Amino acid sequence: MAERLTLEEVSYSYPLPGREDLPALDGISLAVEPGEVLCVAGANGSGKSTLAQVCAGLLAPTAGSMGYGGEKIEGRRRLLSFRRKVGLLFQNAEDQLFADTVFEDVAFGPRNHGLKGEELETRVASAAGHAGIDLDELGGRSPFSLSEGEKRRVALAGVLALDPEVLVLDEPFIGLDFDNGERLKGVLGAYREERGASVVIVTHELADAWSLADRFVLLDGGRCAAVEEKSELVRGDIELAGLGMRLPQWGALARGLIRCGVAVADPSDPVVLARAMAERRRASDGR
Amino acid sequence: MVGSDITIGQYLSAETALHSADPRLKIAATVSAMILVFTYEGWGLVAFTGMMLVILLAVRLPLMPLLKSLRAVWVIVVLTFLLQLFLTPGEVLWQWGFLSVTDTGLMNGVVFSARIILLVVLLGALTMTTPPLKLADGMQSLLRPLKYLAVPVSRVATVVSITLMFIPNVLEQSRKVIRSQMARGADFESANLLRRVKDTVPVLVPLFVKVFHDSDELAVAMYARSYAGGEGRTRLYPMKAGSMEVLFTIAFVVACIALSFL
Amino acid sequence: MGDADSFRMRMEGVRYRYPRAGSDALSGIDLEFEQGRMYAVLGRNGSGKSTLARCLNGLLVPTVGRVTVGGLDSADGASGLEIRRNVAMVFQNPDAQMIASSVEEEVAFGPENLGLEPALIRGRVDRAMDLVGIRELARRQPRKLSQGQKQLVAVAGALAMEPRFIVSDESTSMLDHDARERVLELFGRLRDDGLGIVHVTHFLEEALLADTVVILEDGVVADEGAPADVLSSPDEVRGLGLRPLEVTVVIRELATLGHRVPAGVLDIEELLSWLNA
């Protein structure tokens, strides 16, 4: 399977007038595989927001190169076609809502891509369906009249309406409560499943992506400190505290169990963890 | 989050003599100069420009950000210049179809656009060297007499300072919204002017919503810390006009007045 | 003002409806907050947490019922200043609270508004900065600090009012792990020094640090009590729209497998020591 999106030694510095440029990313190399959920995690100021925008083609790397589907992204034409393949949901995405109705807001992106009439309506309906927005009920309402959770999902629908192959989300869970967060996770999982899309979740809280993500890219001061799988994080191959992060509770529990000599297959599933513990109890009770 | 490239009205942290000067004196000097700039013709303008340059260089205020703030008004400057250039009657210097350039037109074009530039530079120098809160404090104190005319002085001062505090915020927000709509296929880089104008609505609406929301939050935060419009406020560092500062200000204002006779 | 023991914030039958809103944001709240304790206020989006916080220091005045702080009624305009002095607030977005151009002047903003003499302001500012541990930032520009540092500056600004209570309206929700730890550690220290802390949050781990947990649902108090009592049932917590503590979920699963973990176990260490017992 070929990689979908690749970054090779990508650096980015923000230009500051009259002063030295402000470096935000320094030599990042990574590959996003088709259909995977990749978590990009780092503390405040680690460069993760910048990386999200680079991945979406909104910021052009100041050094290094990017590729998509095996082809190098060079020149404006390639860049534009690349941008169409990637959808980016910004932090506090509800800030981007502007139209009079939910329908129009979701339709903004596909209209920009030249969709019209029936094609447009199908696209909007399918995006709204993916994002868990009931168009019959909400389609004609003003986006500003919705609850926080609904607004965030309408914003997501606006991005899904572009039918992206790679969906990048910058801190998608900030400000959402548990229910809305779980709903969003469900939406992302289903979109990945049905569309075969890659999902990149950018977050400062590993717990946000713990149940969804296959791999974790850990950023530290604009550099890539490590790319790890869940099991490696649990094992403690890398000191998370030094990166301003911590292992999610599930992971910490799994780590505790492993230290006690209990094998854990999936460190994000409570049933698996409980079974492992129960077995251990039985074994020690039996002795 | 990231330094912006537009600096109009924005405070720039540095340690120049202008930064430490009493805000009341700075406001008084700036306002008098701004009024007097309108009375300057030819040599007056040249002399004033020279004087400003000397002052700014003497206090080592970085000039680049100040000049950058002119970018925000270049359209107005060019438009003023052209209108004056072509529409003023006088002795014709050059003619092309129905367009004619006259000697007074040329003169007026230069004078009018120079005045605008100087106004922006004056205001820019004030806001660059005076943080919004100090500006509000200074205005509050200078305008105090107007209270007897039932002018809501503290409110005016508060509104001005909140507005100034919000300039960086508005810039940052607008960049954010532009990028997020670009991610949805809006094209702000296109050469098609119509398309670009059309795409400003999706930027302005979220921007207004956000800025209203944030400024409300800021006002609440100020109120929660017992801010009541500056009335009865004391200062950690009380405003104190040093005698040298006062002297300089008087000299500056006198020079400004004198230039209007040139 | 009475002695510290009797200084309380009380909410009696408090209802609040925002102008032009169709329903109440708070619909009948009775609570009492004491000094020297930390309270965590939890609840899903829209449950009324922020409204409650804003009622406590007089930013909002109840539509029905009353809020008293040290006996002063928040509806009485004359006591507004006194209430805001005693109940300081820290808000969610650090960027929307920074007012001045240097950290020390930022911290001084509150005392300046109280009209204190410069020397007194200096004393308060220095004490507040020392308590929070940001003395070395005094001359820095607040806008240029990290989010976490800004929030510490905001807490110092609140402390400079020399309040009896600090109400934190989701002040940790935009911070990363390290910064959040620092703010919470500070809240714990202030509580030990005798301040009352009311911390609105939607992280259950943070609620574990509180003496009392209050869970709101639809503008009423759905549950109130010690963390071990309120947070130990994952289904109840889940039903109130909150993420249950992982440990409690595992304990529930263990119960279905026939293993009973003693009540009151809320963290991983305790669970593991049960396992190895």
Side-chain angles (χ1 to χ4, degrees), chain A residues 84 96-129 131 133 135 138-141 143 153-163, chain B residues 180-181 183-186 195 198-199 202:
Chain A
R84 281 172 165 243
Q96 73 183 27
L97 303 179
F98 73 96
D100 297 335
T101 66
V102 167
F103 181 92
E104 275 310 312
D105 216 297
V106 178
F108 177 68
R111 265 192 221 281
N112 284 329
H113 284 186
L115 263 57
K116 286 195 201 70
E118 207 167 306
E119 206 184 350
L120 178 74
E121 283 189 20
T122 343
R123 182 67 76 80
V124 171
S126 123
I133 294 294
L135 270 190
L138 301 178
R141 294 238 324 249
R153 287 203 303 279
V154 168
L156 176 63
V159 174
L160 293 184
L162 300 164
D163 195 26
Chain B
S180 80
Q181 303 299 29
R184 294 211 276 165
R195 177 89 195 262
K198 220 184 76 197
D199 277 347

Side-chain angles (χ1 to χ4, degrees), chain A residues 1-200:
Chain A
M1 224 166 20
E3 287 111 3
R4 197 159 260 172
L5 173 63
T6 51
L7 276 71
E8 242 170 275
E9 291 291 319
V10 164
S11 300
Y12 185 83
S13 300
Y14 288 96
L16 290 182
R19 272 174 290 168
E20 228 168 272
D21 290 354
L22 184 74
L25 294 178
D26 183 7
I28 303 266
S29 297
L30 60 91
V32 183
E33 320 272 347
E36 82 164 329
V37 177
L38 184 71
C39 171
V40 174
N44 291 341
S46 60
K48 53 191 193 310
S49 250
T50 308
L51 183 58
Q53 293 178 49
V54 167
C55 283
L58 290 178
L59 297 176
T62 35
S65 68
M66 291 171 66
Y68 193 84
E71 279 188 68
K72 207 166 172 198
I73 303 166
E74 268 173 331
R76 187 170 156 78
R77 181 184 294 255
R78 282 261 171 82
L79 179 68
L80 286 180
S81 90
F82 162 63
R83 264 195 210 155
R84 281 172 165 243
K85 302 265 168 54
V86 184
L88 172 60
L89 191 73
F90 275 78
Q91 187 178 337
N92 300 115
E94 52 277 17
D95 294 349
Q96 73 183 27
L97 303 179
F98 73 96
D100 297 335
T101 66
V102 167
F103 181 92
E104 275 310 312
D105 216 297
V106 178
F108 177 68
R111 265 192 221 281
N112 284 329
H113 284 186
L115 263 57
K116 286 195 201 70
E118 207 167 306
E119 206 184 350
L120 178 74
E121 283 189 20
T122 343
R123 182 67 76 80
V124 171
S126 123
H130 272 302
I133 294 294
D134 183 356
L135 270 190
D136 294 333
E137 193 198 328
L138 301 178
R141 294 238 324 249
S142 159
F144 299 106
S145 69
L146 306 177
S147 75
E148 292 309 302
E150 286 168 335
K151 277 188 200 166
R152 181 81 48 100
R153 287 203 303 279
V154 168
L156 176 63
V159 174
L160 293 184
L162 300 164
D163 195 26
E165 289 175 356
V166 177
L167 180 60
V168 184
L169 306 110
D170 188 1
E171 297 281 10
F173 299 104
I174 272 196
L176 289 189
D177 60 17
F178 180 65
D179 278 342
N180 282 310
E182 289 301 293
R183 237 179 130 165
L184 185 60
K185 283 179 197 168
V187 166
L188 298 178
Y191 186 74
R192 179 252 296 254
E193 201 74 12
E194 286 166 38
R195 181 71 178 76
S198 312
V199 178
V200 179

Side-chain angles (χ1 to χ4, degrees), chain B:
Chain B
M1 217 142 101
V2 172
S4 64
D5 45 2
I6 310 173
T7 44
I8 189 164
Q10 219 176 316
Y11 175 67
L12 190 93
S13 173
E15 303 212 338
T16 72
L18 277 181
H19 278 79
S20 56
D22 187 302
R24 291 167 299 186
L25 294 178
K26 281 190 278 187
I27 296 172
T30 309
V31 170
S32 356
M34 284 173 67
I35 294 169
L36 288 163
V37 157
F38 281 99
T39 67
Y40 299 162
E41 303 284 343
W43 288 115
L45 277 173
V46 174
F48 182 77
T49 310
M51 183 169 81
M52 281 303 291
L53 260 176
V54 169
I55 293 173
L56 293 179
L57 288 175
V59 300
R60 302 228 177 106
L61 194 71
L63 289 182
M64 261 324 268
L66 208 50
L67 294 178
K68 278 252 166 69
S69 63
L70 286 172
R71 283 214 313 221
V73 293
W74 72 267
V75 179
I76 303 175
V77 173
V78 170
L79 218 64
T80 310
F81 180 75
L82 292 178
L83 285 177
Q84 294 297 330
L85 188 65
F86 291 123
L87 300 179
T88 320
E91 196 171 309
V92 176
L93 296 177
W94 182 72
Q95 182 125 22
W96 187 70
F98 65 97
L99 291 175
S100 59
V101 174
T102 65
D103 58 345
T104 11
L106 187 61
M107 188 64 189
N108 282 0
V110 172
V111 167
F112 279 68
S113 35
R115 282 179 186 162
I116 297 176
I117 291 172
L118 286 172
L119 286 183
V120 174
V121 168
L122 278 166
L123 260 184
L126 177 65
T127 51
M128 237 174 92
T129 59
T130 321
L133 190 60
K134 293 227 169 84
L135 213 53
D137 287 346
M139 279 178 60
Q140 160 93 19
S141 155
L142 282 176
L143 297 176
R144 192 165 294 150
L146 291 183
K147 239 174 43 186
Y148 302 106
L149 301 173
V151 176
V153 171
S154 1
R155 269 196 212 173
V156 172
T158 312
V159 168
V160 169
S161 63
I162 289 191
T163 309
L164 287 170
M165 277 181 220
F166 256 83
I167 290 174
N169 183 306
V170 173
L171 293 174
E172 200 184 302
Q173 287 302 332
S174 62
R175 258 194 307 274
K176 230 176 95 180
V177 177
I178 285 175
R179 290 219 190 102
S180 80
Q181 303 299 29
M182 260 167 74
R184 294 211 276 165
D187 192 356
F188 299 100
E189 294 157 340
S190 128
N192 183 340
L193 198 65
L194 198 72
R195 177 89 195 262
R196 280 169 67 172
V197 169
K198 220 184 76 197
D199 277 347
T200 54
V201 175
V203 171
L204 288 181
V205 174
L207 190 61
F208 277 127
V209 171
K210 182 75 178 147
V211 167
F212 272 121
H213 174 263
D214 284 1
S215 56
D216 183 57
E217 239 180 292
L218 180 66
V220 166
M222 289 171 83
Y223 180 75
R225 285 160 79 186
S226 299
Y227 187 70
E231 205 52 39
R233 235 171 91 73
T234 50
R235 313 286 183 284
L236 174 61
Y237 298 114
M239 283 188 279
K240 213 162 68 196
S243 45
M244 279 308 270
E245 285 175 23
V246 176
L247 229 64
F248 267 117
T249 311
I250 293 173
F252 177 76
V253 174
V254 168
C256 287
I257 296 173
L259 287 180
S260 64
F261 294 106
L262 265 181

Side-chain angles (χ1 to χ4, degrees), chain A residues 174-250:
Chain A
I174 272 196
L176 289 189
D177 60 17
F178 180 65
D179 278 342
N180 282 310
E182 289 301 293
R183 237 179 130 165
L184 185 60
K185 283 179 197 168
V187 166
L188 298 178
Y191 186 74
R192 179 252 296 254
E193 201 74 12
E194 286 166 38
R195 181 71 178 76
S198 312
V199 178
V200 179
I201 298 175
V202 177
T203 178
H204 69 283
E205 190 69 73
L206 288 171
D208 284 344
W210 191 250
S211 60
L212 276 177
D214 305 304
R215 293 188 303 151
F216 295 80
V217 175
L218 308 176
L219 291 186
D220 184 30
R223 285 166 180 276
C224 178
V227 182
E228 303 230 309
E229 288 179 14
K230 233 176 284 178
S231 56
E232 294 170 309
L233 285 170
V234 168
R235 228 170 31 221
D237 293 356
I238 184 158
E239 188 61 53
L240 283 172
L243 307 177
M245 286 180 289
R246 63 169 174 168
L247 204 56
Q249 291 288 296
W250 291 127

Side-chain angles (χ1 to χ4, degrees), chain C residues 83-256:
Chain C
I83 289 178
R84 288 198 297 278
R85 259 168 74 165
N86 282 306
V87 186
M89 287 200 71
V90 184
F91 296 91
Q92 175 176 21
N93 184 354
D95 291 309
Q97 316 175 48
M98 298 291 115
I99 296 153
S101 52
S102 76
V103 166
E104 56 177 353
E105 284 169 284
E106 181 63 45
V107 177
F109 182 73
E112 286 178 342
N113 291 330
L114 299 179
L116 301 175
E117 291 299 312
L120 285 176
I121 300 178
R122 181 83 259 166
R124 282 185 175 214
V125 168
D126 290 347
R127 272 197 300 282
M129 288 194 304
D130 285 341
L131 255 173
V132 177
I134 52 165
R135 193 62 174 269
E136 73 282 1
L137 301 179
R139 301 267 169 173
R140 299 271 298 275
Q141 228 187 318
R143 250 167 52 76
K144 302 236 165 100
L145 302 177
S146 73
Q147 297 294 88
Q149 286 172 324
K150 281 182 201 162
Q151 210 58 308
L152 290 177
V153 172
V155 178
L159 285 175
M161 302 290 281
E162 301 198 335
R164 292 165 188 264
F165 287 93
I166 287 190
V167 177
S168 136
D169 187 3
E170 302 217 28
S171 66
T172 52
S173 72
M174 294 174 83
L175 306 183
D176 62 26
H177 180 61
D178 283 0
R180 192 183 299 162
E181 294 271 278
R182 274 202 299 280
V183 171
L184 289 170
E185 182 268 333
L186 175 61
F187 283 165
R189 211 145 38 82
L190 295 173
R191 182 252 325 262
D192 298 341
D193 287 351
L195 253 77
I197 307 282
V198 180
H199 179 48
V200 174
T201 179
H202 54 241
F203 298 109
L204 251 70
E205 290 87 348
E206 297 185 354
L208 285 178
L209 305 172
D211 302 296
T212 304
V213 178
V214 175
I215 304 186
L216 295 187
E217 171 82 333
D218 286 334
V220 296
V221 175
D223 210 347
E224 184 192 355
D229 298 330
V230 178
L231 305 177
S232 57
S233 159
D235 299 312
E236 245 169 68
V237 168
R238 180 74 194 77
L240 294 170
L242 300 168
R243 186 173 57 79
L245 291 165
E246 286 77 356
V247 169
T248 63
V249 177
V250 172
I251 290 175
R252 184 193 57 196
E253 291 303 323
L254 279 167
T256 64

